[in-house]
Amino acid sequence: MTQAPDKEATNILSMNSVEVLYDNVMLAIKGVSIQVPKGGMVALLGSNGAGKSTTLKAISGLLKAERGRVSRGEISFDGTVITGLPAQRRVEMGICHVIEGRRVFEHLTPDENLEAAAPLSMNRATLKTEKQRIYEYFPRLAERKNSQAGYLSGGEQQMLAIGRALMTQPRLLMLDEPSLGLAPFLVAEIFSIIKKINKEEKLSVLLVEQNALAALEIVSDGYLIENGRVVMHDTAQALKANSDIQEFYLGGGSGTNFHDIKHYSRRKRWLS
Amino acid sequence: MELVFLAELAANGALTGLLYSLFAIGLVLIYKASSVPNLAQGGLTMVGAYIVLALARDIGLPLWVAIPLAAVVMFGFGMGIERVALRRLAGRPIVMILMMTLGIDIFLRGTTLAIWGGTSRSVELGVGYDPLFIGDVLISRIHLVGAAVALLLFVVFVLFFRSRLGIRLRAIADDYMASWSVGISVERGVGLSWGLASIVAVAAGVIWGEIQGVDQSLSLLLLKGLTVAVLGGLDSIFGAVLAGLILGILENVGSTYLDPFVGGGSRDLIVAAVLILTVMLRPHGLFGRQDIERV
């Protein structure tokens, strides 16, 4: 995919034909290209094992911890190529990845979770106001800031994971399945807070979700990944209206009847 | 008279116990930051003592220069071990990491034997062996000094783990991946914990080296240190101090009363019983973090 230079400048993240290898043999994603506009909100949809999490890890640099690497293609963040940089450097540049499964520091308090994520260069006064800012977005956390994080509810832990990521002062926030295992009202609450942060702080967001319905409500664009490839890219409106998407990801359309040859062959086309 | 005797046993047991704690604090530091029980802590303690000796006896520096200098050298040495031997094992099964630390311990014992030989040497701290009576209770001066050092380090590290750097180390112990995801350098954090544990090893090495002489048997402190650390909870510094006190008193009082019946050697039996019972009844120790399982 080639792009006009003026368009390039408006994207905070640009990923071009990226391939990821695990253990030097297993090809997890096969040429994924994704753009996230500055201040935009983009969703990455797809089923289990499609390559969504791998895509995020390629961007955040966490691939290395799982013995994966980008074997082809290029990732640039705000005009700088970051493909080979260590994860820590990318966080400093402003990319923060909220990994799947919440993963708060269980034996620390929420307050300490936030402090752990703040850069060491941040001075005490800023640290305090930054924590205050997080507690304003997530008042539930403020109530429990001195209890052990492992005992928070699933929703509170997800809020803490997002709050912790915000402490790194990101310009691009990547969220991996924030709705996982949460009650619908909590998903709605968390998504509305994400939207609010996106609007108020012009924070760009890349959201990975299996819950396509909830995701498409708050993003402007969506990519559909299947079997390590982008099979569809459109605006959220168009994706919601697309009959294939409705059928496979939104639970609407003609239902999930796997005896239906038409259904099967269309999905097969994506997977091939 | 009987009561005074008991008090004396308990007091000296408590002091010896605090010396175990002094050793165990080093184990706790590394465990707290990386969830690795460091079986080379005994070896590090022995090397720490040898380096103090080399600087003080062989080069002739005064002790007040030699000990801090040894601490600096050992800080670098500990970080170096982590960098060279352990970093590549990050994320591997814990048993491989354990075997590596065990291998390091044996390696350190062999190396010190080759360089300095096996003859026991004294640190000669100059603490003095005149009897010290507190009330009617006879106390060993060197044990008293060692216990004070243990308590001092306890306070220092409790404060350290409340600092921002300390919180980061605790975060690393909780979750490597999550730490990386927010830009915490897991590698540097674990390296720092090895450096700090090696400084503790110098302190433990000097005190224990003064008490029993500096030779390879110093590394055997690991067994009691590990028992204390496990009883205390492996990742709790306060636990290590309290467990040291408990084990020291139990060992000293218990063995005095048991030895006549079993014909000696009950000291080790008591230590073994404490270790086995802790693992059986309370695997996370007195103050260790429990793995949190929510429903």
Side-chain angles (χ1 to χ4, degrees), chain A residues 62 65-66 88 91 96-97 103 105-107 112 115-116 118-119 122 124 148 150-154 164 168, chain B residues 92 164-165 167-168 170-172 174-175 177-185 188 289-292 294:
Chain A
L62 293 180
E66 300 184 338
Q88 201 192 357
V91 174
C96 196
H97 180 176
R103 307 276 287 264
F105 300 127
E106 291 191 336
H107 299 92
E112 289 171 334
E115 284 195 18
M122 188 186 276
R124 286 243 152 239
Q148 206 175 330
Y151 292 112
L152 299 182
S153 73
R164 184 178 67 181
T168 68
Chain B
R92 296 293 171 82
R164 281 169 72 190
L165 200 56
I167 289 174
R168 286 184 152 221
R170 282 158 59 208
I172 291 170
D174 252 10
D175 195 328
M177 196 62 154
S179 301
W180 273 313
S181 82
V182 291
I184 298 174
S185 173
R188 230 181 287 167
R289 57 171 188 227
Q290 298 183 41
D291 283 322
I292 297 166
R294 292 174 42 255

Side-chain angles (χ1 to χ4, degrees), chain A residues 14-183:
Chain A
S14 166
M15 196 171 177
N16 290 312
S17 327
V18 168
E19 261 184 20
V20 168
L21 272 178
Y22 279 114
D23 279 326
N24 285 322
V25 283
M26 209 186 83
L27 200 56
I29 60 174
K30 310 161 182 173
V32 167
S33 300
I34 282 172
Q35 266 72 39
V36 180
K38 271 187 188 152
M41 262 186 115
V42 172
L44 206 54
L45 310 172
S47 53
N48 243 337
K52 309 185 299 289
S53 294
T54 302
T55 305
L56 289 198
K57 284 175 195 155
I59 299 168
S60 63
L62 293 180
L63 265 187
K64 212 180 147 200
E66 300 184 338
R67 292 192 287 166
R69 65 182 178 91
V70 173
S71 52
R72 225 175 56 177
E74 196 177 82
I75 305 167
S76 56
F77 176 73
D78 208 11
T80 315
V81 176
I82 57 165
T83 321
L85 293 180
Q88 201 192 357
R89 181 80 197 91
R90 299 189 208 197
V91 174
E92 284 165 11
M93 289 174 76
I95 303 175
C96 196
H97 180 176
V98 180
I99 56 181
E100 189 175 355
R102 309 193 268 272
R103 307 276 287 264
V104 296
F105 300 127
E106 291 191 336
H107 299 92
L108 272 56
T109 64
D111 214 52
E112 289 171 334
N113 267 268
L114 297 183
E115 284 195 18
L120 281 177
S121 56
M122 188 186 276
N123 67 41
R124 286 243 152 239
T126 321
L127 182 69
K128 213 174 160 191
T129 54
E130 283 299 300
K131 282 196 292 189
Q132 204 46 51
R133 178 176 72 104
I134 307 294
Y135 289 137
E136 273 161 27
Y137 281 123
F138 301 104
R140 280 157 175 266
L141 290 183
E143 287 166 26
R144 308 206 49 186
K145 66 179 180 183
N146 292 321
S147 46
Q148 206 175 330
Y151 292 112
L152 299 182
S153 73
E156 288 162 343
Q157 287 191 348
Q158 188 60 62
M159 292 175 189
L160 180 55
I162 296 170
R164 184 178 67 181
L166 291 175
M167 290 299 288
T168 68
Q169 318 283 299
R171 285 182 292 150
L172 171 68
L173 184 67
M174 303 195 293
L175 301 155
D176 197 348
E177 304 269 10
S179 76
L180 199 72
L182 299 185

Side-chain angles (χ1 to χ4, degrees), chain B residues 58-175:
Chain B
D58 302 344
I59 300 179
L61 295 174
L63 277 172
W64 62 269
V65 180
I67 294 174
L69 195 57
V72 173
V73 171
M74 284 299 288
F75 182 78
F77 185 65
M79 298 238 293
I81 289 181
E82 190 278 331
R83 181 76 189 79
V84 174
L86 285 133
R87 191 166 296 180
R88 65 190 74 223
L89 294 182
R92 296 293 171 82
I94 188 75
V95 67
M96 289 174 69
I97 300 174
L98 271 180
M99 290 304 111
M100 175 61 94
T101 61
L102 186 61
I104 293 169
D105 194 73
I106 297 168
F107 176 79
L108 292 179
R109 255 185 281 168
T111 313
T112 52
L113 196 62
I115 300 177
W116 289 290
T119 328
S120 183
R121 295 204 285 174
S122 168
V123 181
E124 288 165 40
L125 272 185
V127 174
Y129 288 89
D130 320 333
L132 177 71
F133 281 97
I134 297 179
D136 285 332
V137 176
L138 175 68
I139 300 274
S140 149
R141 284 173 196 261
I142 179 66
H143 283 70
L144 199 60
V145 171
V149 172
L151 291 176
L152 178 72
L153 284 179
F154 161 67
V155 172
V156 166
F157 284 115
V158 164
L159 293 178
F160 170 74
F161 278 109
R162 287 192 196 156
S163 74
R164 281 169 72 190
L165 200 56
I167 289 174
R168 286 184 152 221
L169 287 194
R170 282 158 59 208
I172 291 170
D174 252 10
D175 195 328

